[in-house]
Amino acid sequence: MMKLPALASALLLLSPAIAAQDVVAERTAQSGLPLDPVRASMEVPRLALGFTVDPASRSLAGTADYTVTVDTPQDRLAFDLDPRFAISGISVDGQALAPAAWSNPAGLLTITLPRALAAGSRAQIRIAWHGAPHVAKRAPWDGGFTWARTPDGQPWVASAIQGEGCDMFWPCLDHPTKRIGLLDLSVTVPDGLVAAGNGVLIGEDHAGGWATWHWRARQPNNYGVTLQIGPYRLAEAQYRSAYGNTIPVQYWHLPGDRPEDVQYLLAGMQDYLAFFEDVVGPYPWGDEKVGLAETPHLGMEHQTINAYGNGYKRAPEGYDWLAQHEFGHEWFANQMTNATEGEMWLHEGLDTYMQPLYLLWKNGRMAYDVALWDHRKRVLSRVPLAAGDPAATGDYLDAESGWGNDIYYKGSWVTHTLRLLIGDTAFRESLRRLVYGRPDPAPGNFAPVRRTTADFATIVSEVTGRPMDWFFDAYVRQAALPRLLEERQGSRLRLRWETASALPFTMPVEVQVGDRVLVAPMADGTGMLDLGSADARHVIDPEAKILRDDPAITAWQAQERAAEAHAKD
């Protein structure tokens, strides 16, 4: 997802500290809560998911035909589902269950099985439900449905549920560790509307004033499953990949859009594709498509059908920042998925860094530096990027903690510092191993992976041949940024790193003296340099390679907060 604008930082959802009476809101408003033993045992090799969406009543009816396997014996199954929906019926292996066999009082739909499942066995579960989904107050940051109208008055519908999860409109396993092996998605809408979906379009049927659009997708990320509906027109191109395959690039847009805008966006998508394939590796869904659908909200990284609502705004750097950012999530969210919600910096931080890196690739060093400096001014570092507890989740919209801010901008700067520390060759290999699970990805030889910060640290250590725990502990597990303390005695400059980590912070430091650049290795977190003379002027880290505490930025941020508060009075 894109970062929320600064003015939206005092927002909308609930904190993790939620009163008992709000347990329903907690379950449906926060994705990735710890799994109970029943859901932890379940896997979904296949799902046929069908929706009938009625814009007139702002409601939907759905059926989910699940193939479920369990790895431990179970006499119950469970799914997450917003309890605002009514259950029409449930069957197990074709046997209809009595209503007493299921309950969904707090958003955890629990089904008592007619016979227990042995470990390693499977069952066919059919769930039918209907109702009016939660309406997003400010999509995509407050998740739910957007029921809008196109400029000429036609229905325009979009779902966006990253933080809240798939249970906002269908029964699912709402956790990043649970993916569907193969999804068959059918969406029925009033005739004249198009339902743009995940994966490959299998076909469409029209009868009785309704149209059904059939899609098939492999291994979708749960929050990436989406409904995007409108009177769309399709624009497309074919991209010839450096990996030898040809990838469809498809964009479902409103009929009144200017053709030159549509073509500009299509051309940009192909340029972004060339960048990501060059720097990271092959597009993960090349056997399906690169897809976008125009939406009434700003955007979201739905797998192979990214939501786009930036209105074709062109940045002075000559690209569409929103389209580039959301597309990057095909690698950093949909192919490589964080193992817990608390590790979301692996999605957002790595992907946010791909913006300045793309500008370096496209426009050169100045564009990179300008974009990165903008990111640096937004780093808050009030809480860790990722907590030590692997089950912990962050509060994305808590303005005081700033976690939902730092996963983007601090994550970007951590990645910048890492790249310049280990070099481009090691950085690119580390990214490939992180994203694909192997150093030699090619179309067809990899599958989606789940990752943690510890995985990333291990990969970088293996690639570089040196321990990297000190780096990730100081930058990701601790809240405060490393501080570099200086002491000048004549021509001698003593340096010492100070961090909250128990591990020595061994980040080497460059110091410019005239036209010379000296390097303090900082092997134990301290270093000393002879600058040549007592009056020599020096500049620490002249190329701004290192993310570190900067009192000037801290003072500026306080000044900006005070000015904003004064303006509100």
Side-chain angles (χ1 to χ4, degrees):
M1 189 165 77
M2 84 299 298
K3 182 66 187 85
L4 66 168
L7 293 178
S9 60
L11 283 171
L12 290 164
L13 289 186
L14 305 173
S15 147
I18 298 176
Q21 66 266 26
D22 292 327
V23 65
V24 173
E26 180 185 17
R27 286 209 59 82
T28 57
Q30 188 171 359
S31 182
L33 294 173
L35 291 168
D36 61 279
V38 174
R39 288 177 300 146
S41 77
M42 296 168 57
E43 298 296 339
V44 181
R46 186 152 193 162
L47 168 62
L49 187 59
F51 295 97
T52 298
V53 180
D54 183 7
S57 61
R58 296 191 170 190
S59 66
L60 61 83
T63 57
D65 288 290
Y66 271 101
T67 300
V68 175
T69 64
V70 294
D71 61 15
T72 58
Q74 297 295 336
D75 59 6
R76 295 175 297 141
L77 296 178
F79 299 87
D80 297 279
L81 180 64
D82 190 336
R84 74 185 65 235
F85 293 109
I87 305 295
S88 308
I90 297 177
S91 66
V92 177
D93 293 328
Q95 177 184 344
L97 302 185
W102 72 77
S103 63
N104 190 34
L108 182 61
L109 173 59
T110 303
I111 303 167
T112 302
L113 298 171
R115 51 196 163 275
L117 291 174
S121 62
R122 67 177 52 202
Q124 301 298 130
I125 312 296
R126 181 179 179 86
I127 304 170
W129 72 102
H130 63 275
H134 171 73
V135 175
K137 297 181 180 68
R138 190 172 182 273
W141 302 290
D142 167 51
F145 267 62
T146 298
W147 305 91
R149 293 277 175 178
T150 64
D152 62 354
Q154 298 185 70
W156 195 13
V157 183
S159 66
I161 44 82
Q162 179 180 8
E164 296 79 5
C166 45
D167 57 327
M168 293 293 279
F169 68 107
W170 55 283
C172 64
L173 301 176
D174 185 18
H175 196 272
T177 61
K178 300 297 181 180
R179 297 180 82 127
I180 301 157
L182 185 67
L183 172 67
D184 283 304
L185 176 65
S186 297
V187 186
T188 300
V189 294
D191 217 349
L193 299 181
V194 176
N198 305 92
V200 176
L201 180 62
I202 302 301
E204 57 186 275
D205 300 309
H206 300 263
W210 294 84
T212 301
W213 299 82
H214 303 275
W215 297 89
R216 180 169 294 159
R218 60 175 175 83
Q219 296 179 289
N221 180 354
N222 277 343
Y223 81 79
V225 175
T226 183
L227 299 181
Q228 299 185 116
I229 298 163
Y232 291 131
R233 302 291 184 268
L234 174 61
E236 54 188 329
Q238 298 293 318
Y239 175 81
R240 296 184 64 82
S241 167
Y243 288 88
N245 54 327
T246 299
I247 304 170
V249 182
Q250 301 177 332
Y251 174 41
W252 281 265
H253 62 92
L254 296 185
D257 292 354
R258 298 190 311 165
E260 56 267 36
D261 288 336
V262 171
Q263 291 306 312
Y264 177 80
L265 188 60
L266 275 180
M269 293 302 296
Q270 294 173 77
D271 200 47
Y272 314 147
L273 184 47
F275 160 75
F276 280 108
E277 289 207 322
D278 181 25
V279 171
V280 185
Y283 177 60
W285 321 104
D287 56 333
E288 295 183 349
K289 68 177 183 301
V290 171
L292 304 94
E294 192 171 2
T295 52
H297 64 79
L298 187 56
M300 176 67 71
E301 64 270 20
H302 302 128
Q303 189 167 310
T304 71
I305 187 65
N306 287 325
Y308 173 79
N310 199 35
Y312 307 105
K313 295 183 180 71
R314 306 184 186 197
E317 298 84 1
Y319 79 123
D320 189 308
W321 73 268
L322 187 281
Q324 196 270 356
H325 177 82
E326 302 301 0
F327 184 50
H329 282 305
E330 297 285 18
W331 286 263
F332 303 104
N334 297 335
Q335 166 60 28
M336 182 276 293
T337 303
N338 48 228
T340 70
E341 294 300 308
E343 303 270 10
M344 198 184 293
W345 84 273
L346 293 170
H347 287 193
E348 300 296 355
L350 291 172
D351 190 36
T352 298
Y353 183 64
M354 291 299 116
Q355 213 128 55
L357 201 59
Y358 168 71
L359 294 175
L360 177 65
W361 181 87
K362 174 180 177 288
N363 293 341
R365 178 65 184 268
M366 187 185 78
Y368 173 86
D369 289 344
V370 169
L372 206 63
W373 177 239
D374 181 64
H375 291 181
R376 179 60 187 90
K377 292 183 291 185
R378 300 170 187 238
V379 176
L380 301 176
S381 282
R382 298 170 187 158
V383 296
L385 271 185
D389 177 5
T393 60
D395 189 356
Y396 184 85
L397 292 175
D398 180 1
E400 290 304 312
S401 75
W403 181 79
N405 188 87
D406 277 346
I407 59 175
Y408 294 83
Y409 304 119
K410 183 177 180 180
S412 173
W413 257 82
V414 168
T415 312
H416 161 73
T417 298
L418 177 66
R419 181 177 76 86
L420 297 185
L421 173 65
I422 67 176
D424 274 329
T425 299
F427 176 72
R428 290 189 179 199
E429 182 174 345
S430 297
L431 278 188
R432 285 193 297 274
R433 289 175 182 262
L434 179 75
V435 170
Y436 301 99
R438 59 188 301 161
D440 59 344
N445 75 352
F446 58 86
V449 297
R450 295 190 296 269
R451 294 300 196 193
T452 65
T453 300
D455 293 332
F456 198 10
T458 298
I459 289 167
V460 176
S461 295
E462 290 173 350
V463 170
T464 61
R466 47 182 163 153
M468 292 298 295
D469 287 346
W470 63 271
F471 179 95
F472 287 93
D473 188 64
Y475 277 128
V476 179
R477 299 299 183 195
Q478 312 300 325
L481 292 176
R483 294 179 62 214
L484 184 61
L485 306 180
E486 303 177 47
E487 181 184 351
R488 181 78 179 262
Q489 294 178 337
S491 67
R492 293 180 178 271
L493 175 66
R494 296 184 183 276
L495 301 172
R496 177 169 62 88
W497 282 114
E498 184 179 88
T499 76
S501 174
L503 301 173
F505 190 70
T506 58
M507 178 71 68
V509 179
E510 293 181 351
V511 179
Q512 183 172 346
V513 183
D515 57 1
R516 296 181 301 149
V517 176
L518 310 177
V519 179
M522 310 295 285
D524 62 352
T526 66
M528 191 276 290
L529 292 173
D530 190 335
L531 305 184
S533 69
D535 59 353
R537 180 179 176 276
H538 70 277
V539 178
I540 299 289
D541 189 23
E543 295 191 3
K545 295 180 178 181
I546 304 172
L547 176 61
R548 60 191 173 105
D549 179 71
D550 186 334
I553 290 179
T554 302
W556 174 81
Q557 289 172 338
Q559 168 189 286
E560 293 300 295
R561 287 196 302 273
E564 183 178 348
H566 179 72
K568 291 178 180 177
D569 290 341

